[in-house]
Amino acid sequence: ALWAATAKASTPVLRTQRPVVGTAVDIVVEGADAQQLRSATEHAFARMRELEALLSKYDPQSPVSRVSAAAGKHPVAVPPAVMAVLRDAQRIHAVTDGAFDVTVGGLKAWHFGEGVQQMPQAEEVARQLSLVGAQDLVLDTNAGTAFLRRRGMALDLGGIAKLPILEAGMRVLQEHGIDNAMVNGGGDVLVRGQLQGRDWRVGLRDPRAPERILGVLALNEGFVAASGDYERSFIHAGRRYHHILDPHTGQPTRGPHGVTLASS
């Protein structure tokens, strides 16, 4: 999803871009008080980075990384914000019959980042696939702990953490009295209010040609969340392999090239 502005500002509009959750996050806010806009934006980015530090698998000190490091050994205490995401992940795992599984972090043979793309050996994928299974993620909400039952298991919240992080940023903007705001992070766009008296316009990408726009949604409340196999991928032996992994096979999914959800 893409955001687009179509009118000239009549009141102060602040646009700020910062790196968060592995992508460029844009915040656009409009209001009469420029200082209020700046302060609200800074606090929103600070809150999003706090949550990113809790939910990231790349930070070895994060609660998520500590849960993975303690797999097969002992439960790990996690903050309420992390527990909330893990509980949502387990609920989605159940309603999708396992199609969504945050224990795909165990599939460490796949690499889709710049400069580290590689085709793993089939035997290695098969071995790591045996470590995937959200039924072995044990959450104790009373004790506030998370536990992966088997050694070698690992969490990857990349498929679920970004939207809650962006939503937290939007809540901070609201708490600071901002009525007109947009938070856009790598395909997920949250909006409230308007921009120069008009609803926010969110473009929908064509999964087969991401540089092309299929259509535009006009929203004054809600979000548009988009993901697809075009975001991180590489070509091997004439076939494209992408970062959305099937927890049943250990391989990139086959089927729809992209999915967009809209809420208003």
Side-chain angles (χ1 to χ4, degrees), residues 35-80:
Q35 178 56 40
Q36 180 190 27
L37 299 181
R38 286 191 293 271
S39 176
T41 297
E42 290 301 320
H43 281 89
F45 274 118
R47 178 56 180 153
M48 287 190 288
R49 284 183 171 143
E50 286 176 3
L51 282 180
E52 178 185 24
L54 295 178
L55 298 167
S56 173
K57 70 171 184 176
Y58 300 107
D59 180 353
Q61 300 305 315
S62 75
V64 166
S65 292
R66 293 201 303 270
V67 171
S68 297
K73 302 174 186 176
H74 57 79
V76 172
V78 297

Side-chain angles (χ1 to χ4, degrees), residues 192-229:
R192 69 186 310 260
Q194 296 182 315
L195 179 66
Q196 288 99 56
R198 299 182 60 180
D199 288 350
W200 297 91
R201 294 170 59 81
V202 181
L204 306 180
R205 282 178 170 166
D206 182 346
R208 295 184 180 276
E211 70 283 356
R212 189 169 64 203
I213 300 299
L214 287 176
V216 176
L217 293 177
L219 297 173
N220 56 32
E221 188 76 30
F223 69 85
V224 176
S227 185
D229 61 14

Side-chain angles (χ1 to χ4, degrees), residues 171-248:
R171 283 197 300 272
V172 170
L173 296 176
Q174 292 178 256
E175 291 164 2
H176 281 73
I178 305 301
D179 296 321
N180 302 298
M182 183 277 303
V183 181
N184 177 16
D188 294 343
V189 182
L190 289 79
V191 302
R192 69 186 310 260
Q194 296 182 315
L195 179 66
Q196 288 99 56
R198 299 182 60 180
D199 288 350
W200 297 91
R201 294 170 59 81
V202 181
L204 306 180
R205 282 178 170 166
D206 182 346
R208 295 184 180 276
E211 70 283 356
R212 189 169 64 203
I213 300 299
L214 287 176
V216 176
L217 293 177
L219 297 173
N220 56 32
E221 188 76 30
F223 69 85
V224 176
S227 185
D229 61 14
Y230 51 84
E231 294 177 348
R232 287 186 290 149
S233 62
F234 62 84
I235 304 296
H236 175 78
R239 178 185 163 189
R240 188 159 63 90
Y241 293 83
H242 60 85
H243 73 294
I244 302 176
L245 301 177
D246 184 341
H248 296 123

Side-chain angles (χ1 to χ4, degrees), residues 101-115:
D101 193 320
V102 290
T103 68
V104 291
L107 294 170
K108 299 175 182 177
W110 289 101
H111 298 281
F112 298 96
E114 291 292 332

